[in-house]
Amino acid sequence: MASAVEAQAAAQAKAAKTAAAAKAKAAAAKKAAAKKAAAKAAAKKKAAAKAAAKKAAAKAAAKKKAAAKAAAKKAAAKAAAKKKAAAKAAAKKAAAKAAAKKKAAAKAAAKKAAAKAAAKKKAAAKAAAKRAASWVHPVRKYTLSAKFAQAGGMWQSTHSGQDFAVNSGTDVVAAHGGTVVKAGPNGAGDGPAYGNAIVIRHGNGTYSQYAHLSRIDVRVGQVVRTGQHIARSGNTGNSSGPHLHFEIRRTADYGSAIDPVAFLRAKGLSL
């Protein structure tokens, strides 16, 4: 009876031990499964975190790249605008410089032209003054009457000089300095039509003649200066009224006369 009880107790103890072992094994398996699930969840979480970090890094890199690209574009646009503005300013400056240079050149040219014109005018005035000083009118306060080469019944062909209508006794002067080569009545050898006359020889083969004089105050061979008194006007010879008959000749004799008005004007005199 005691053995049965002992055997039963032993069996029960064994069964309890086996159950405890099974329970412990199940608990261990459960613990291992929980640990494995936790590890899997941690790995999944880590992978998700890693993927999120990678995605965030990629997004940040893309954003940084886009920002850098935008900054570069902005900088390029700014540089281009600056370059364009500089080119425009340089062109404007160059245009202003060219305009100023052109204006200065025009001003200098105008100044030079004005100076040249002034010099030319001065030279012309000087030349005219020189010519005027070298030749003078043979009488003062006159009226031009019969002209050179004028046709008329009082002359053999045409008029050989220019008549200066003045009162008898008017002062007659040498139109230019020279030497008296003819002086006297009968046209001083040129004919009675001239009345009392004088012929003066000047330089360069030029002669001046003064006719119809009332009085002769110089002699042949006498040297006279420009503007010197030589006679008094009159109405001698073939004359219709008191006047001075004036000629410019190429020789001392009749027949070599040229237009005296044109000659005197060329010397700067106004008639």
Side-chain angles (χ1 to χ4, degrees), residues 10-94:
Q12 286 180 345
K14 189 178 180 181
K17 190 178 181 180
T18 301
K23 190 177 180 181
K25 188 176 180 182
K30 189 177 180 181
K31 189 177 180 180
K35 189 178 180 180
K36 187 177 180 182
K40 189 176 180 181
K44 190 176 180 182
K45 188 177 180 181
K46 187 178 179 181
K50 190 176 180 181
K54 189 176 181 181
K55 187 177 180 181
K59 191 176 180 180
K63 190 176 181 181
K64 188 177 180 180
K65 187 178 179 180
K69 190 176 180 180
K73 190 176 179 180
K74 189 177 179 181
K78 191 176 180 180
K82 191 176 180 180
K83 188 177 179 181
K84 187 178 179 181
K88 191 176 179 180
K92 191 176 180 181
K93 188 178 179 181

Side-chain angles (χ1 to χ4, degrees), residues 109-121:
K111 191 177 180 180
K112 188 177 179 181
K116 191 176 179 180
K120 191 176 179 181
K121 189 176 179 181

